[in-house]
Amino acid sequence: MSHLDAPSVIRVKRDGGVLSNEAIDWVIDAYTHDRVADAQMSALLMAIFLRGMTTAEIARWTAAMIDSGERLDFTDLRRDGAPLALVDKHSTGGVGDKITIPLVPVVMACGGAVPQAAGRGLGHTGGTLDKLESIPGFTAEITKTQIRQQLCDIGAAIFAAGELAPADRKIYALRDVTGTTESLPLIASSVMSKKIAEGTRALVLDCKVGSGAFLATEAESRELARTMVDLGTEHGLLTRALLTDMSVPLGRTVGNAVEVVESLEVLEGGGPEDVVELTLALAREMLDAAGIDGVDPAQTLRDGSAMDRFRELVAAQGGDVGSLTAEALPLGAHKETVTAPGGGTMGDIDAMAVGLAVWRLGAGRSEPGQRVQFGAGMRIHRRPGEPVAAGEPLFTLYTDTPDRFAPALGELDGGWSVGAEPPTTRPLVIDRIM
Ligand code: URA
């Protein structure tokens, strides 16, 4: 029996101390096996949020989360006699960040194999699994055997982390409802425990910067990227990161099914410029990290091969490919439109305000395990810098529960403006960290 107990571990961090390796290993294991209560872990997470962690503590916390479950290994898999070019991407969380949906099929079409353990919505940010599950029949709860089969047959699987880093599954859900998401050590360990356990060989991180990112400043996002790249490298994973702008939402849709619809537009060779640009920038990084050269990811969007791969992926995971249209995917039964008070140019649209508004519409959770509304979301009719005529629609909000409009509109209020001057433009890809 361990001599450690939760109140003592919590007190060490509450008072600004450094957790011992033994305390970290114990608390992660005990929480995973329900010997530490949610209330106690919530208190510890809040203490970590407020006090931070040393680099050594983050490394040990991450290793303990990896050891809480199994570690997948695909190195034995072959396609046409050759080992798979295993490569994945993970975002630190954004608003309108549907990039995984077009990106995975682009990389599949270029010859990569993507084992993607994806997450559900966290805080004001959306989750890839909540978006994909809006496709009727699609399931992310697939077995290891199926993941291996899909990687060999079609080159990708997008799955709920399941038995990978189960400590993260519990802590992630708890952070989502206890105001403890925006913490560098907790984000770094959450992302990297899943990604190290999932069995990829190379990893590209999309580390967000700006109001819609979890961390407030560019300096903190840089530190997060550096921390994650170092954690991956220490565990033998070829890891690199792009720092990308998340001060305005990506694309023109934010929510669940509405983001799938926009992803389909990208896969058809259209879609918003920023979504296409980031998809291709990340695809190039992934292909480079996987050692695949001589292919142009943009061509896979033009020639429809990425769309074909997406259909294969959806079908392999039980999804109805016949519903991959704007008409067939769910859309909230009620809508509310925000119109322009006057003419001019659309100014900045605050990603955090939009993320919170969409969360209030029902696209995310306020209690663990809550069902999200697949049809909840927002269309952004005018992006920053676009001309606006007085009275025209700027935002359309969708939900199945109309009493959510008032709080959602409250979040959006003050998060956008129409003025005489165009807003300052920012590069989408800010830096590359290796
Ligand atoms: N993605 C994760 O998996 N975890 C976080 O904490 C943030 C983004």
Side-chain angles (χ1 to χ4, degrees), residues 203-207 225 229 239-243 431-434:
L203 176 67
V204 176
L205 296 159
D206 180 4
C207 199
V229 169
T239 312
R240 39 179 91 158
L242 294 185
L243 279 188
D431 207 352
R432 185 164 180 256
I433 293 177
M434 305 183 61

Side-chain angles (χ1 to χ4, degrees), residues 128-149:
T128 301
L129 295 187
D130 293 331
K131 295 171 199 183
L132 285 173
E133 283 171 356
S134 72
I135 302 169
F138 184 94
T139 178
E141 309 289 339
I142 55 177
T143 62
K144 252 184 308 177
T145 312
Q146 185 171 346
I147 296 169
R148 290 171 66 83
Q149 194 70 48

Side-chain angles (χ1 to χ4, degrees), residues 2 29 36 56 73 102 133 168 181 197 202 219 283 312 319 342 346 377 385 388 415 425:
S2 170
D29 180 64
V36 161
D73 181 357
E133 283 171 356
D168 178 58
T181 50
E312 283 172 10
M346 192 74 194
V388 169
T425 51

